[in-house]
Amino acid sequence: QCPLRRLLSCPGTVAADLRREEQSSGSAETGSEDRTPKKRFSEVQNERREQAQRTVLIHCPNKIDEKKFLKFLSQHGPINSHFFYESFGLYAVVEFCQKESVTSLQNITRTPSLGPEAAIPFKSRYFNLKLRNSSNQTSELSSIQCSNQSSPSSKKLYQLLCCAESVDDQLNTLLREFQLTEENTRLRYLTCSLIEDVAAAYFPDCAVRPFGSSVNSFGKLGCDLDMFLDLDEIGKFTAQKTSGNFLMEFQVKNVPSERVATQKILSVIGECLDQFGPGCVGVQKILNARCPLVRFSHQASGFQCDLTTNNRIALKSSELLYMYGALDSRVRALAFSVRCWARAHSLTSSIPGAWITNFSLTVMVIFFLQRRSPPILPTLDYLKTLADAEDKCIIEGYNCTFVRDLNRIKPSGNTETLELLLKEFFEYFGNFAFNKNSINIRQGKEQNKPESSPLHIQNPFETSLNVSKNVSQSQLQKFVDLARESAWILHQEGKDRPSPSSNQPWGLAALLLPSVANNVSLSKKKKKPASERIKNLLDSIKSSGAENSTATNGR
Ligand code: GTP
Ligand code: MG
């Protein structure tokens, strides 16, 4: 048995805590075997939003008596749940059972007087708790359990991966360690809800909804928080139908285009967050981008936020990815590993540029899983055929219809292991004819590229657009080289895996190490031959050993 694994199984150690954490957070979100009915995206969004509206965020003194704190708050009504976390201080997220409790708490809360400085009064749900007499409160304090909001260090991840039982176990471990926790998800919805309170000063019936990786089930701890300011509720589409000869319309200001309207709205909300938004710092208005946005940091939660409006298709894309992620437990495990692999080798970056994005990588994983035989994921066109009248959705003239009830989609009969899928993913894209073909999850097959960008991934809804138009030829080549190298490593390893006791990185751990990139850069001077050689070697192994792959397949 590997020494580290022995340590991990030993009770009472930090390592054992890691194991327990891992086991307890495991199956609920990842088990495709679980046959309980799955919730629709909109149900999850509505429930979480309502929960966030009953929740408050409290900056606490570092030393606090948890019991007394909860007793104090429950004067305003019963508490449903709470947790603490640390981020430049101690914070508590407290969910009341009823919304009225929040109002009651706000009623006994005062606006601070800050001496020479002046406060701009704003009754938010983000509070500061002070102790009247700190000495008698701190006497018998037991330490507060804080929920972790960040992803594991590379060292911890590396240890966990090296001690895993199989490559499949490694992929599932990586997923469990990086996926958003229940607490982190709550904090994301709460942050949107707090921003909604600010935006509601201008647009009383607006909603601020999270989208992107915070809600599409592919988010990693630490990912940004994409927010959508939804103004449709204000009556654009929801006004009651009336009969008779009279028709009432609101007097409104008209502007030359939707884009100008979006820019004006975001400009004023950005200003508002900057001037009055508690905890909102570093507000930047990026209004001339293709999709105008306001970017800021929400200090208390630590989230980097991007607020957009008039971006309903992106919300629909999030729903689609959520569906794909929920259909089979292998989807998220594979996508997380591919995304971590890409990050480890600087194929993706937090700075915008010629790199591939996480969104594009996820679409590539979905496409690859549609291409398996039998397919692991259905095509978007097939999901459209399952849709009923209520699922019908046209946004800005684009048909975004697909079935939204997950329980109506039959599970795949494909039983391939994650190990095989990871290896084949790298082989598939290591050999993909990027020069002539486009990736298309709507039809689940390659299409001729309609334009000459190095990488063409059709936008699933705005089908004339390429989601990876920004990717340069050299970045694509780096992706292909690394994919081939990684396929090769997994292939070699399958034959000759280092013994667990040797503490050698193996499987996914070996792929995430910089050595893979080093190998590629070492071979840079003669890049083509190295990459081509690996491709040819893999091809020859494949053609001579089909039985080998069936053996892995059947496991
Ligand atoms: P990370 O933030 O990297 O974890 O992933 P993300 O999926 O949240 O990506 P990002 O924050 O860049 O974008 C947020 C959402 O906007 C995505 O999930 C997509 O729904 C959408 N989006 C991002 N890039 C594109 C693009 O190039 N085209 C289209 N149509 N939508 C995009
Ligand atoms: Mg994002």
Side-chain angles (χ1 to χ4, degrees):
Q1 202 185 19
C2 147
L4 209 63
R5 175 166 280 284
R6 262 204 311 275
L7 179 69
L8 284 167
S9 56
C10 171
T13 60
V14 176
D17 283 345
L18 302 179
R19 271 275 163 216
R20 268 199 297 277
E21 225 176 78
E22 194 188 285
Q23 282 157 1
S24 64
S25 67
S27 58
E29 298 223 280
T30 52
S32 70
E33 305 71 26
D34 186 3
R35 290 269 169 267
T36 48
K38 289 170 185 154
K39 280 187 189 160
R40 283 175 186 225
F41 181 74
S42 55
E43 277 177 84
V44 177
Q45 284 240 328
N46 293 340
E47 283 176 19
R48 294 268 186 200
R49 177 156 180 261
E50 190 275 326
Q51 177 182 50
Q53 287 167 342
R54 290 183 276 111
T55 304
V56 297
L57 178 61
I58 306 176
H59 183 210
C60 301
N62 281 337
K63 293 213 166 190
I64 186 170
D65 184 321
E66 188 171 354
K67 264 197 192 146
K68 285 185 183 160
F69 171 67
L70 294 175
K71 195 169 163 215
F72 162 70
L73 290 175
S74 43
Q75 295 175 72
H76 301 278
I79 292 169
N80 206 31
S81 74
H82 77 284
F83 65 89
F84 290 93
Y85 71 93
E86 264 171 340
S87 156
F88 300 108
L90 181 68
Y91 290 85
V93 172
V94 181
E95 181 205 345
F96 286 101
C97 296
Q98 292 135 12
K99 222 170 157 177
E100 295 70 42
S101 305
V102 176
T103 321
S104 165
L105 180 61
Q106 281 171 324
N107 286 340
I108 59 115
T109 302
R110 58 178 202 159
T111 301
S113 45
L114 305 166
E117 292 178 8
I120 297 175
F122 183 66
K123 279 192 164 185
S124 74
R125 280 178 289 135
Y126 172 26
F127 305 95
N128 202 16
L129 180 75
K130 289 197 162 165
L131 297 179
R132 281 227 168 87
N133 185 351
S134 55
S135 57
N136 66 10
Q137 297 234 9
T138 52
S139 49
E140 357 120 35
L141 288 181
S142 53
S143 69
I144 287 201
Q145 280 267 329
C146 278
S147 142
N148 180 26
Q149 306 300 320
S150 50
S151 51
S153 67
S154 348
K155 194 170 159 209
K156 177 185 156 191
L157 177 71
Y158 177 75
Q159 290 174 344
L160 287 169
L161 293 183
C162 286
C163 287
E165 269 156 16
S166 60
V167 175
D168 281 48
D169 190 19
Q170 287 185 322
L171 268 78
N172 283 320
T173 299
L174 184 117
L175 173 63
R176 282 195 297 268
E177 291 294 316
F178 278 94
Q179 71 186 351
L180 303 184
T181 57
E182 168 63 25
E183 287 82 8
N184 195 267
T185 303
R186 281 176 185 232
L187 193 53
R188 283 170 190 271
Y189 278 88
L190 174 59
T191 305
C192 286
S193 184
L194 295 175
I195 300 304
E196 185 179 300
D197 288 350
V198 178
Y202 276 97
F203 302 106
D205 289 320
C206 74
V208 172
R209 306 183 193 282
F211 72 100
S213 58
S214 298
V215 298
N216 66 16
S217 80
F218 292 93
K220 262 174 34 182
L221 283 171
C223 68
D224 68 354
L225 172 54
D226 303 292
M227 301 176 175
F228 168 66
L229 173 66
D230 188 349
L231 301 175
D232 286 357
E233 298 289 316
I234 299 188
K236 227 173 165 180
F237 303 113
T238 52
Q240 288 171 10
K241 292 236 161 55
T242 52
S243 55
N245 210 15
F246 293 111
L247 180 68
M248 293 292 278
E249 276 185 350
F250 287 109
Q251 284 280 353
V252 288
K253 268 220 155 119
N254 283 330
V255 291
S257 65
E258 277 290 341
R259 182 172 168 84
V260 175
T262 300
Q263 287 169 329
K264 283 191 185 283
I265 293 166
L266 285 179
S267 175
V268 72
I269 298 295
E271 204 56 40
C272 213
L273 291 174
D274 197 18
Q275 307 289 343
F276 317 125
C280 300
V281 296
V283 180
Q284 287 172 273
K285 298 191 226 169
I286 309 172
L287 303 178
N288 288 322
R290 189 185 72 84
C291 183
L293 71 136
V294 173
R295 177 165 289 170
F296 60 96
S297 293
H298 190 257
Q299 243 179 349
S301 60
F303 295 133
Q304 171 77 32
C305 306
D306 277 353
L307 177 71
T308 53
T309 187
N310 195 20
N311 192 15
R312 195 162 279 280
I313 291 189
L315 198 67
K316 204 65 191 168
S317 309
S318 304
E319 180 167 13
L320 181 66
L321 260 50
Y322 168 86
M323 301 260 310
Y324 277 126
L327 280 178
D328 188 289
S329 66
R330 289 166 292 185
V331 182
R332 294 171 64 234
L334 189 62
F336 268 70
S337 293
V338 168
R339 288 164 69 141
C340 279
W341 166 84
R343 190 74 192 92
H345 300 298
S346 308
L347 285 168
T348 49
S349 164
S350 51
I351 312 158
W355 354 102
I356 199 160
T357 61
N358 278 329
F359 180 64
S360 295
L361 285 170
T362 311
V363 176
M364 286 167 93
V365 169
I366 293 170
F367 181 73
F368 165 74
L369 295 175
Q370 291 174 333
R371 301 296 296 153
R372 303 307 295 165
S373 175
I376 294 180
L377 288 176
T379 66
L380 179 50
D381 274 343
Y382 176 70
L383 295 181
K384 190 173 157 198
T385 63
L386 296 182
D388 59 23
E390 283 191 2
D391 294 322
K392 192 171 173 198
C393 173
I394 313 278
I395 305 170
E396 294 160 28
Y398 294 102
N399 193 334
C400 304
T401 306
F402 56 83
V403 61
R404 292 170 304 161
D405 181 358
L406 282 154
N407 306 299
R408 294 197 5 223
I409 307 163
K410 259 203 0 233
S412 162
N414 181 309
T415 57
E416 287 170 319
T417 62
L418 281 169
E419 174 173 5
L420 179 80
L421 291 171
L422 184 66
K423 193 167 71 185
E424 300 261 317
F425 174 87
F426 289 131
E427 265 188 51
Y428 183 78
F429 285 113
N431 292 313
F432 193 85
F434 288 108
N435 56 342
K436 49 177 222 284
N437 287 337
S438 160
I439 291 162
N440 181 316
I441 61 165
R442 185 160 272 288
Q443 294 172 17
K445 53 182 189 240
E446 297 118 11
Q447 298 285 305
N448 285 335
K449 268 207 303 199
E451 39 113 339
S452 63
S453 309
L455 175 60
H456 195 281
I457 303 175
Q458 191 195 56
N459 183 318
F461 299 119
E462 294 161 277
T463 51
S464 59
L465 299 181
N466 172 12
V467 300
S468 54
K469 206 177 167 59
N470 61 314
V471 177
S472 66
Q473 183 59 44
S474 66
Q475 281 301 314
L476 177 64
Q477 190 58 48
K478 190 174 161 192
F479 172 86
V480 169
D481 291 347
L482 280 162
R484 287 178 183 176
E485 191 96 13
S486 300
W488 177 248
I489 290 176
L490 286 177
H491 202 279
Q492 288 302 93
E493 278 212 341
K495 292 192 297 189
D496 188 18
R497 178 156 299 161
S499 80
S501 57
S502 71
N503 259 344
Q504 287 275 329
W506 59 277
L508 187 56
L511 295 191
L512 296 181
L513 285 178
S515 61
V516 184
N518 290 344
N519 286 345
V520 171
S521 56
L522 278 180
S523 58
K524 228 176 200 160
K525 286 175 217 119
K526 38 172 192 167
K527 190 162 69 190
K528 270 218 165 122
S531 179
E532 282 301 314
R533 206 169 55 237
I534 293 175
K535 174 179 180 311
N536 295 339
L537 278 169
L538 279 169
D539 284 349
S540 64
I541 294 166
K542 272 201 117 175
S543 55
S544 67
E547 73 283 1
N548 198 354
S549 114
T550 340
T552 334
N553 193 346
R555 244 192 291 157

